[in-house]
Amino acid sequence: MYKKALCICLVTMLLFTSGCWSRKELNEIAIVLGAAVDKGSDGQVEITVQIAKPSQMSIAAAGGKSGGSTGRGEGAQVLSSQGKTVFDAVRNFVSITSRKLFWSHNQVLIFGEEAARQGIGQMLDWFERDHEPRARVWVLAARGEAKDILKIPGLIEPVSALGISDAVRAAVALSKSDQVNLHDFLSQYSSMATSAAMPRIELFAAEGGPKFRISGMAVFKKDKLTGWLDGTAARGLLWVRGRVESGILVVKIPGSEKGELSLEIIKAKSKIKPEFVEGRPIVTVEIEEEGNIGEETVPVDLSKPDMIAAIEKKQAEAIAGEIKAALKFARIHKADIFGFGEEFHRKFPKAWAEMKDRWEEEIPELPVKLKITTKIRRIGDKTISTSPK
């Protein structure tokens, strides 16, 4: 996968050598595949980049095998630079690489925890303003320092930036994290009410050394990291935002003390309905979900309609529990992670103008009603279980 991506970079860059006065020769640039932003020393900004190694790209493009390894993934190397601003740090790379960084193929942009807690608004400005960085680059927040993530090869893709990009795309299989690009995050960040969120990435111990994983969400108030949403609470956020695409719900088998069912989420949608009752704002969240039965741990007679109805009730309760976990986080942090304020602004613009300045104080006491409808679509090829009792 990474060789294919590097070859694409090479072919694309070769197109720039076709006679234009502003062309960028391959021997004049360093192609950025991934970037990390951390707090530097003495109040500076530290930028870490993973850049493609042209020699490895040439070998891959020719269909050959590359030799040797940097320890950070074949075909790439990781370098850091500091400066008073992001642009200053980026330009300072010239003294290290003797080349200007080329950002059009950057896959991921990771913010370190300390930098994120202090505020990333100023750090975002250059990435939004300059013409080379892509608005569709994936953004993530790291536990600890972001640069450490880029130094660790993935389990399958040795070039970490490409592996992280693949992991972000694969996260929809669990729906316990989201796919957020720079454009999406900036839209949330500029919202009058919604607290922005991006996926969390962290290191974990594995055989052969630490590896990275996408796990939960990082929540921002304005431009500052305010907290982490873990597994079920993260999916609770995505239920309300209408971002759940797949995943597994494990529920208790009705009438069984220990038995459990694994239910595959196959379809979900949500709707937020804001209203005023006796002058107070109230929100109703409607969730419609469909799933398949994928596994059982004790015998269940799935041919009985009453059993299916009872399982669907358990399914709805499980979804409600995940949403309530996210609601608890929102109330503790006074953070509108769901976008309720935007819905009031859209439907009741005059009323919103009067309450927007106190919206943060409304969140802890905001009544939220849940209406959840679930449906079991498929039970597999068995109706009478053969699982051991």
Side-chain angles (χ1 to χ4, degrees):
M1 175 65 75
Y2 82 97
K3 288 185 179 179
K4 180 179 179 181
L6 293 176
C7 289
I8 292 173
C9 289
L10 175 63
V11 173
T12 304
M13 290 309 306
L14 288 174
L15 295 177
F16 285 94
T17 65
S18 57
C20 176
W21 67 270
S22 60
R23 69 180 184 269
K24 294 180 173 65
E25 302 287 356
L26 277 173
N27 61 357
E28 297 175 351
I29 61 173
I31 299 175
V32 177
L33 300 178
V37 183
D38 289 297
K39 180 185 175 184
S41 58
D42 299 324
Q44 295 194 100
V45 177
E46 182 175 38
I47 304 295
T48 301
V49 294
Q50 187 172 62
I51 59 175
K53 296 168 67 176
S55 60
Q56 298 292 338
M57 290 168 56
S58 300
I59 294 171
K65 293 184 178 180
S66 58
S69 173
T70 65
R72 301 182 177 97
E74 279 183 63
Q77 58 184 329
V78 177
L79 301 169
S80 295
S81 172
Q82 295 194 23
K84 293 181 179 179
T85 65
V86 170
F87 196 12
D88 187 33
V90 168
R91 186 55 60 88
N92 286 340
F93 272 105
V94 173
S95 64
I96 304 172
T97 64
S98 72
R99 303 180 181 192
K100 287 186 178 181
L101 300 185
F102 184 75
W103 290 84
S104 294
H105 295 290
N106 186 31
Q107 302 293 304
V108 296
L109 176 59
I110 310 170
F111 294 94
E113 183 172 356
E114 188 175 1
R117 290 196 183 278
Q118 291 191 352
I120 62 174
Q122 184 178 350
M123 299 175 186
L124 288 168
D125 185 81
W126 180 79
F127 292 100
E128 182 182 13
R129 187 181 301 273
D130 195 87
H131 69 282
E132 279 189 9
R134 301 182 305 128
R136 300 300 175 184
V137 63
W138 300 124
V139 292
L140 308 97
R143 273 195 182 277
E145 292 195 313
K147 63 183 178 182
D148 293 339
I149 305 292
L150 286 183
K151 296 175 182 178
I152 302 298
L155 286 167
I156 297 175
E157 177 58 75
V159 176
S160 58
L162 304 181
I164 294 167
S165 181
D166 289 343
V168 171
R169 292 186 177 91
V172 297
L174 295 176
S175 292
K176 292 183 179 180
S177 187
D178 202 3
Q179 298 177 343
V180 181
N181 59 42
L182 181 59
H183 176 269
D184 296 334
F185 186 81
L186 289 170
S187 296
Q188 297 176 38
Y189 171 65
S190 62
S191 166
M192 292 178 290
T194 306
S195 293
M198 64 175 68
R200 178 180 65 190
I201 187 167
E202 60 185 2
L203 297 177
F204 69 98
E207 185 177 352
K211 301 297 179 184
F212 59 77
R213 64 184 170 199
I214 309 295
S215 173
M217 300 288 287
V219 177
F220 290 74
K221 287 184 70 173
K222 301 299 182 182
D223 68 333
K224 295 181 179 180
L225 175 66
T226 189
W228 309 101
L229 277 173
D230 293 318
T232 55
R235 190 157 65 186
L237 166 64
L238 301 188
W239 282 117
V240 179
R241 285 189 173 186
R243 297 287 294 170
V244 172
E245 297 185 25
S246 185
I248 305 297
L249 285 169
V250 179
V251 303
K252 293 290 185 182
I253 294 175
S256 173
E257 292 184 3
K258 297 182 179 180
E260 293 178 322
L261 286 170
S262 297
L263 307 173
E264 180 187 13
I265 303 164
I266 60 171
K267 185 179 180 181
K269 62 180 180 179
S270 69
K271 188 172 185 179
I272 299 172
K273 292 185 175 181
E275 58 183 326
F276 286 92
V277 176
E278 297 180 353
R280 285 202 61 193
I282 293 177
V283 170
T284 299
V285 177
E286 297 180 354
I287 306 290
E288 295 181 17
E289 186 268 352
E290 297 179 10
N292 295 333
I293 294 177
E295 181 186 16
E296 61 187 27
T297 60
V298 300
V300 183
D301 187 352
L302 298 175
S303 65
K304 296 181 178 180
D306 288 349
M307 176 57 73
I308 296 298
I311 293 172
E312 290 173 341
K313 183 178 179 181
K314 291 285 187 181
Q315 198 171 8
E317 291 172 352
I319 294 170
E322 294 184 346
I323 295 174
K324 289 175 181 177
L327 276 170
K328 182 179 180 180
F329 175 96
R331 285 171 172 149
I332 290 173
H333 293 273
K334 297 183 179 181
D336 184 359
I337 59 178
F338 305 104
F340 292 154
E342 286 290 348
E343 295 299 324
F344 276 103
H345 175 230
R346 190 174 293 112
K347 189 172 181 179
F348 305 104
K350 290 184 179 180
W352 172 253
E354 296 177 1
M355 69 177 182
K356 65 179 181 180
D357 292 336
R358 67 175 190 275
W359 184 240
E360 185 176 298
E361 301 304 320
E362 292 278 359
I363 296 170
E365 304 299 329
L366 179 69
V368 178
K369 300 178 182 179
L370 301 180
K371 293 184 178 180
I372 302 172
T373 304
T374 61
K375 183 72 175 178
I376 298 295
R377 284 299 180 189
R378 292 178 57 85
I379 61 174
D381 295 331
K382 300 193 317 183
T383 55
I384 305 297
S385 174
T386 56
S387 299
K389 295 183 179 180

